[in-house]
Amino acid sequence: MIPATLLVPAGIVIPVSRAVLEGLVCVPVLLPLLAAGVKLAIGGRLRRLQSLLSIGTMSVTLTVSALLLIAADSGGPLVTDLGGWPAPVGICLVADRLSTLVLVVSSAVTLCVMVYSIANAYDEQEHDAPMAIFHPAFLVMVAGVADAFLTGDLFNLFVGFELLLSGSYVLLTFGGTEARIRAGATYTLMALASSMLFLIALAITYAATGTLSLAQLATRFTTLPEQVKLLVELTLLLVFAIKAALFPLSAWLPDSYPTAPASATAVFAGLLTKVGVYAIIRLEALLFPGGPVSTLLMWVALATMLTGVLGAVAQTDIKRMLSFTLVSHIGYMVFGVALSTVAGMAGAIFYVVHHITVQTSLFLVTGLIERRTGTTSVNRLGGLMRTAPLIAVLFFVPAMNLSGIPPMSGFLGKLMLVQAGLAHGGPLPVALVAAGLVTSLLTLYAVAKTWGKAFWRTSREERVGTVVESEEDTGEEPTVTTTTLPAALAGPVAALVVLGLAYTVLAGPLSALTWRTAGELLEREPYVSAVLGDRR
């Protein structure tokens, strides 16, 4: 599952023509949609064929994404004009270093989650509902994520968000329990509010510039009055701050994500918030580089880091603890974007790649814990190091990576951001560096507390009559659903854990790639020239 593209230095040319590669840019969007339609037509029949179709679709998407990354890194952005209408008249898909890098990582992660969900359905002998409902919704969500990453048009970015949200609505409420319906209502209200704001932002942008093409906007925003440009920037940032769960617009996330099935929660936590972060990176670098909003973003990043990690420390449920750490670590990425330097942007991109993988693996492991014990409350867990050593290892490694223990990729990403903040200078960037270090230490405390209670101390049965009376208790005994961990479930989780470790082994090539990506983003000219060409 380790993307081979991380090993490919710049300048390597693959033996495929640019025209063919440009034709492949739409595959990560269209192929999952086509597969979702076929699976809906099949329904609950031909279960083995459905499984092969899902895994095959995600494998092809990963392969194509890797080819696009190699081509974009060696030869510049690839552009596909949809319907044959060239930009800015038509909508285009653009595969540059940033979009293809996050597409490769998201494809690898979603492939692992797909394998996990199929294995889980077969092991529990629940074939019909997951195949007929869960996987088509999952594939629609994957297509929406790819569309959001690749689009070169603001309106198509809105379409991508709506695609991924339509799939996520189904995944979040899958099973129809009271808790999931309640969480789905909260999530839906949040999504509808952000979608309405997005439409308002699109209307303002088009009224001011006469276009929604990102490349053309990059040229026209330079001639707009500062007040108009600031209004557009703040409106768009508000939309993406909701989707990325930035403070103070993050309260919906810890109440929504933990209720979904493990495979859905994993991809929500690892990937969906990063689509909002990706949109912030793209727009701040391409449309509003070094603007006055950078200071506001620094304050938002500071508040997001501290409030999120303080919430994580206070939790007694593993899912909620991880949800709050998810919020806090979004602050690291926004910190790098707010610096508006190549070093800061490279650190932010590195941290996005790291966090997608590590956060997804942690939520999948939490799903294994819940499957093994019937609960994720640390007050009701114990002894898992002895009774489930494989789960213990699969949790410990990404937890330490998330905390930033040297020399793991979490530490390397934080180090890149710390160095960028200190190089930038000034009281606020230095305060952000200090907040980042405090957040890292408190994250370590939160996961260490969870590790100690859930894995290291004695089991609940051995504590009866001594500690249990003082613990939070619902009065229900957790039910153990299985005594063994099927290899088909452990495999995709282990693959994600190994992928997270691979970022450390391949830190040199990966960080070099993120630096090239950041340089291309802030230069802006390669993107604009590739999309508009002589039509500027």
Side-chain angles (χ1 to χ4, degrees), residues 221-292:
F221 268 134
T222 58
T223 61
L224 280 183
E226 287 299 320
Q227 296 88 341
V228 177
K229 187 163 67 172
L230 182 62
L231 174 63
V232 174
E233 183 177 7
L234 288 175
T235 309
L236 288 172
L237 277 178
L238 180 60
V239 172
F240 301 133
I242 296 174
K243 297 183 182 298
L246 292 177
F247 180 86
L249 304 170
S250 57
W252 61 269
L253 190 149
D255 292 328
S256 299
Y257 284 5
T259 62
S263 50
T265 302
V267 78
F268 284 4
L271 191 55
L272 292 196
T273 52
K274 309 311 180 303
V275 181
V277 174
Y278 168 86
I280 293 174
I281 292 174
R282 174 70 70 188
L283 296 183
E284 286 299 304
L286 184 63
L287 305 184
F288 313 106

Side-chain angles (χ1 to χ4, degrees), residues 243-531:
K243 297 183 182 298
L246 292 177
F247 180 86
L249 304 170
S250 57
W252 61 269
L253 190 149
D255 292 328
S256 299
Y257 284 5
T259 62
S263 50
T265 302
V267 78
F268 284 4
L271 191 55
L272 292 196
T273 52
K274 309 311 180 303
V275 181
V277 174
Y278 168 86
I280 293 174
I281 292 174
R282 174 70 70 188
L283 296 183
E284 286 299 304
L286 184 63
L287 305 184
F288 313 106
V293 178
S294 296
T295 301
L296 174 62
L297 280 177
M298 289 187 190
W299 283 109
V300 170
L302 178 66
T304 302
M305 282 192 283
L306 294 179
T307 56
V309 78
L310 290 175
V313 169
Q315 300 307 308
T316 59
D317 182 89
I318 301 177
K319 287 183 179 180
R320 288 186 61 84
M321 182 273 292
L322 291 175
S323 296
F324 276 99
T325 62
L326 166 62
V327 171
S328 69
H329 286 240
I330 294 294
Y332 284 106
M333 306 167 206
V334 177
F335 170 30
V337 176
L339 292 176
S340 299
T341 63
V342 174
M345 198 67 74
I349 296 168
F350 188 100
Y351 209 83
V352 167
V353 171
H354 147 81
H355 200 260
I356 289 174
T357 307
V358 171
Q359 197 78 42
T360 304
S361 61
L362 280 170
F363 271 97
L364 283 184
V365 177
T366 304
L368 296 180
I369 295 172
E370 187 172 24
R371 186 178 183 279
R372 173 70 176 80
T373 65
T375 184
T376 56
S377 171
V378 294
N379 288 335
R380 304 179 62 79
L381 292 171
L384 287 176
M385 186 66 188
R386 176 173 53 83
T387 60
L390 179 57
I391 294 178
V393 173
L394 292 177
F395 182 88
F396 181 79
V397 174
M400 293 300 101
N401 202 345
L402 181 72
S403 304
I405 298 298
M408 293 182 168
S409 58
F411 167 78
L412 298 175
K414 292 181 178 72
L415 180 62
M416 292 175 69
L417 292 169
V418 166
Q419 291 175 333
L422 294 177
H424 187 283
L428 188 52
V430 172
L432 271 166
V433 168
L437 297 176
V438 171
T439 300
S440 185
L441 290 174
L442 289 177
T443 302
L444 177 60
Y445 171 75
V447 298
K449 182 179 70 172
T450 299
W451 169 264
K453 288 187 175 183
F455 293 90
W456 201 249
R457 69 175 174 177
T458 56
S459 65
R460 189 176 191 275
E461 291 76 10
E462 296 169 331
R463 302 194 313 273
V464 171
T466 57
V467 181
V468 174
E469 289 82 353
S470 63
E471 295 175 345
E472 179 184 347
D473 199 341
T474 61
E476 299 178 358
E477 290 295 329
T479 57
V480 178
T481 57
T482 183
T483 57
T484 60
L485 181 61
L489 278 176
V493 182
L496 282 178
V497 173
V498 171
L499 179 58
L501 292 176
Y503 297 150
T504 302
V505 178
L506 304 173
L510 178 57
S511 62
L513 177 58
T514 59
W515 273 84
R516 293 195 298 273
T517 302
E520 180 183 67
L521 275 174
L522 293 178
E523 188 179 349
R524 303 200 299 165
E525 182 62 26
Y527 187 97
V528 175
S529 296
V531 174

